[in-house]
């Protein structure tokens, strides 16, 4: 008997990330996510995910310099971003631009560990540039060159807004990147692993992953959360709106999870950040609306918020438009996707499950002239 949605099926061996859905515990290579979010930076986490050890100062400096050196886009990709419709979905733009990057990468189809690690660095550095450049172009602004004096998180916010972020904004965004970096065999990571397990290349794996992340049941939920909050618009309307959605059998974006049957530890962190950001800016509207939604969903369905619920109001408070929330998820998750691809390639076997056939058997073949359906 097939397990619908592969629920509970162990489909790979991995030493990158563990999720304890009953205890609400998430670790990257054995270190609790809460410690990493509190003490490390996104660049350190990227190194850790790829190489299995936290970097020394020298190793971190080397990776940071490598990422900074790769941020610029090949000229034809930037030209394509200028040519594409300004109304395009930013996830479609990201998926297409990443596919295009493969045409200009001399390592493109090489699946050796050395080449794949170089590609991973390029993708990690260039995805933020794509997202920021497209947003500026669609807003009628010129894309900004990356600033090598800024670290990964700050450079993205700068390329997006044209302003160097405050230390608080930089740190909040860095924590968001750490919290989204990996999550075991989530749908997009699985898609990436399936793709490269055919010995296709890393770019193809990442294109598959971006396409998978886009859906509202996965990464697309953060955009859907903010659109829902904006549509509701007022604290007093939250209860009625949520109850109406549930009565209409609609899913409430940002709630429920396949693995967590308790609090998602990332959601807990993001809720705290959303509250602090609200207090520091004197605007608690999105936080209080979110808390109300959390209360009503709990009363009605006993579902916990997931990562995407509070990340939505955090990003919004940082001045980021809702349709960029999912591309921002990709800016972080590229680290986990590429770590999983490296792991898959190191001990590869084609991923090819079976289906439980439930269709008709021994059907007669009816010539086309005699078919009546
Ligand atoms: C994440 C998600 C896809 C997991 O789905 P799943 O493991 O397949 O869970 P199921 O679809 O089997 O749902 C189990 C039950 O909870 C309900 N449920 C789950 N998430 C729900 C939500 N967000 N809103 C309303 N009901 C929800 C289902 O309707 C179902 O109820 P039922 O048994 O009365 O029919 C699902 O919770 C969801 O759609 N959430 C909203 C999208 C989202 O936030 N995605 C980001 C995930 S990190």
């Amino acid at each position: 008997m097939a397990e619908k949605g592969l629920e509970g099926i162990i489909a790979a061996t991995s030493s990158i990330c563990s999720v304890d859905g009953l205890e609400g515990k998430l670790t990257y290579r054995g270190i609790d996510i809460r410690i990493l979010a509190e003490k490390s930076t996104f660049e350190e986490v990227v190194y850790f995910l790829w190489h299995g050890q936290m970097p020394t100062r020298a190793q971190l400096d080397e990776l940071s310099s490598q990422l900074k050196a790769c941020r610029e886009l090949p000229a034809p990709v930037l030209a394509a971003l200028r040519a594409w419709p300004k109304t395009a979905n930013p996830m479609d733009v990201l998926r297409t631009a990443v596919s295009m990057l493969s045409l200009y990468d001399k390592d493109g189809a090489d699946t050796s560990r050395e080449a794949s690690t170089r590609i991973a660095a390029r993708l990690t550095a260039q995805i933020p540039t794509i997202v920021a450049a497209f947003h500026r172009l669609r807003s009628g602004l010129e894309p900004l060159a990356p600033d090598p004096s800024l670290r990964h998180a700050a450079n993205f916010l700068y390329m997006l807004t044209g302003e160097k972020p405050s230390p608080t904004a930089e740190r909040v965004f860095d924590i968001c990147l750490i919290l989204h970096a990996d999550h075991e065999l989530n749908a997009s990571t699985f898609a990436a692993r399936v793709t490269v397990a055919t010995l296709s290349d890393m770019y193809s794996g990442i294109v598959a992953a971006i396409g998978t992340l886009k859906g509202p049941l996965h990464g697309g939920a953060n955009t859907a959360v903010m659109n829902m909050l904006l549509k509701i618009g007022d604290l007093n309307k939250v209860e009625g709106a949520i109850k109406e959605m549930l009565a209409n059998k609609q899913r409430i974006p940002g709630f429920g999870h396949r693995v967590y049957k308790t609090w998602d530890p990332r959601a807990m962190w993001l809720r705290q950040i959303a509250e602090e950001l609200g207090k520091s800016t004197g605007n608690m509207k999105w936080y209080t609306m979110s808390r109300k939604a959390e209360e009503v969903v709990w009363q009605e369905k006993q579902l916990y918020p997931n990562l995407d619920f509070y990340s939505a109001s955090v990003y919004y408070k940082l001045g980021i438009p809702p349709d960029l929330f999912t591309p921002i998820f990709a800016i972080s998750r590229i680290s986990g996707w590429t770590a999983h691809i490296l792991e898959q390639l190191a001990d590869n076997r084609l991923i090819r499950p079976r289906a439980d056939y439930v269709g008709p058997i021994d059907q007669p073949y009816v010539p086309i002239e005699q078919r009546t359906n």
Side-chain angles (χ1 to χ4, degrees):
M1 253 277 285
E3 221 28 270
K4 198 169 177 196
L6 297 183
E7 179 166 0
I9 301 292
I10 307 293
T13 302
S14 177
S15 50
I16 297 174
C17 177
S18 77
V19 184
D20 183 334
L22 297 178
E23 293 290 323
K25 191 171 173 191
L26 168 61
T27 70
Y28 296 165
R29 297 198 182 273
I31 301 186
D32 196 299
I33 183 76
R34 281 169 281 221
I35 298 174
L36 289 168
E38 199 182 330
K39 296 186 187 294
S40 70
T41 61
F42 180 64
E43 286 89 331
E44 280 183 272
V45 169
V46 169
Y47 187 98
F48 191 35
L49 293 174
W50 289 348
H51 300 290
Q53 286 177 321
M54 286 299 274
T56 61
R57 170 61 57 197
Q59 288 165 333
L60 180 60
D61 289 347
E62 193 185 331
L63 176 66
S64 301
S65 303
Q66 186 187 11
L67 292 176
K68 285 177 180 176
C70 300
R71 284 173 179 166
E72 299 265 3
L73 300 176
V77 176
L78 193 55
L81 289 176
R82 290 182 191 281
W84 290 339
K86 291 186 170 48
T87 52
N89 179 313
M91 280 300 275
D92 295 341
V93 167
L94 181 61
R95 192 194 57 229
T96 311
V98 166
S99 191
M100 197 175 170
L101 281 177
S102 72
L103 306 177
Y104 302 96
D105 189 333
K106 59 185 180 333
D107 285 322
D110 188 340
T111 55
S112 67
R113 164 110 195 158
E114 295 69 31
S116 299
T117 310
R118 284 195 296 271
I119 297 170
R122 285 182 203 121
L123 282 168
T124 304
Q126 288 171 335
I127 283 179
T129 314
I130 294 169
V131 177
F134 178 68
H135 179 63
R136 289 186 70 83
L137 287 166
R138 73 176 179 173
S139 312
L141 298 166
E142 265 305 293
L144 290 170
D147 182 337
S149 73
L150 298 176
R151 292 198 309 104
H152 199 71
N155 177 61
F156 170 69
L157 293 174
Y158 162 71
M159 288 192 301
L160 189 71
T161 64
E163 283 172 28
K164 292 188 183 170
S166 68
T168 306
E170 176 178 1
R171 184 65 191 135
V172 162
F173 194 65
D174 202 39
I175 291 173
C176 290
L177 294 181
I178 294 170
L179 294 177
H180 286 76
D182 196 46
H183 208 238
E184 199 221 50
L185 271 200
N186 60 89
S188 54
T189 301
F190 188 54
R193 288 188 79 131
V194 169
T195 304
V196 298
T198 67
L199 294 184
S200 177
D201 61 297
M202 183 171 275
Y203 281 98
S204 302
I206 299 305
V207 168
I210 294 171
T212 309
L213 185 73
K214 180 185 170 193
L217 297 188
H218 188 12
N222 55 12
T223 295
V225 168
M226 199 63 228
N227 288 339
M228 173 182 76
L229 293 175
L230 288 165
K231 190 169 165 211
I232 296 173
D234 189 280
L235 178 61
N236 293 325
K237 295 184 185 157
V238 172
E239 183 165 3
I242 297 277
K243 285 186 172 168
E244 194 184 330
M245 284 175 79
L246 290 173
N248 291 334
K249 301 266 174 255
Q250 280 174 267
R251 300 233 160 176
I252 314 298
F255 287 89
H257 199 276
R258 176 61 66 75
V259 182
Y260 291 113
K261 300 305 165 207
T262 181
W263 265 93
D264 175 337
R266 304 165 300 173
M268 198 80 106
W269 251 94
L270 289 162
R271 187 173 84 171
Q272 194 185 320
I273 294 174
E275 183 177 14
E276 285 164 12
L277 270 182
K279 281 185 182 151
S280 68
T281 56
N283 177 358
M284 295 293 277
K285 176 175 177 172
W286 308 112
Y287 177 74
T288 50
M289 282 178 70
S290 301
R291 286 304 297 261
K292 185 68 186 173
E294 187 191 321
E295 186 190 308
V296 179
V297 175
W298 181 256
Q299 269 168 18
E300 300 294 311
K301 292 288 284 187
Q302 289 76 54
L303 290 169
Y304 293 92
N306 58 47
L307 163 86
D308 296 311
F309 190 63
Y310 281 102
S311 62
S313 39
V314 169
Y315 294 149
Y316 201 68
K317 289 292 301 175
L318 291 177
I320 298 169
D323 67 352
L324 294 191
F325 295 0
T326 316
I328 285 171
F329 197 150
I331 287 176
S332 166
R333 188 56 61 83
I334 184 65
S335 57
W337 290 332
T338 46
H340 277 268
I341 290 175
L342 292 171
E343 185 176 65
Q344 182 67 38
L345 291 173
D347 184 23
N348 189 52
R349 190 160 189 235
L350 178 75
I351 299 172
R352 201 296 188 197
R354 297 295 314 273
D356 185 17
Y357 178 71
V358 295
I361 46 175
D362 293 336
Q363 282 228 76
Y365 180 84
V366 180
I368 194 162
E369 302 74 30
Q370 295 169 26
R371 290 175 206 157
T372 53
N373 50 334

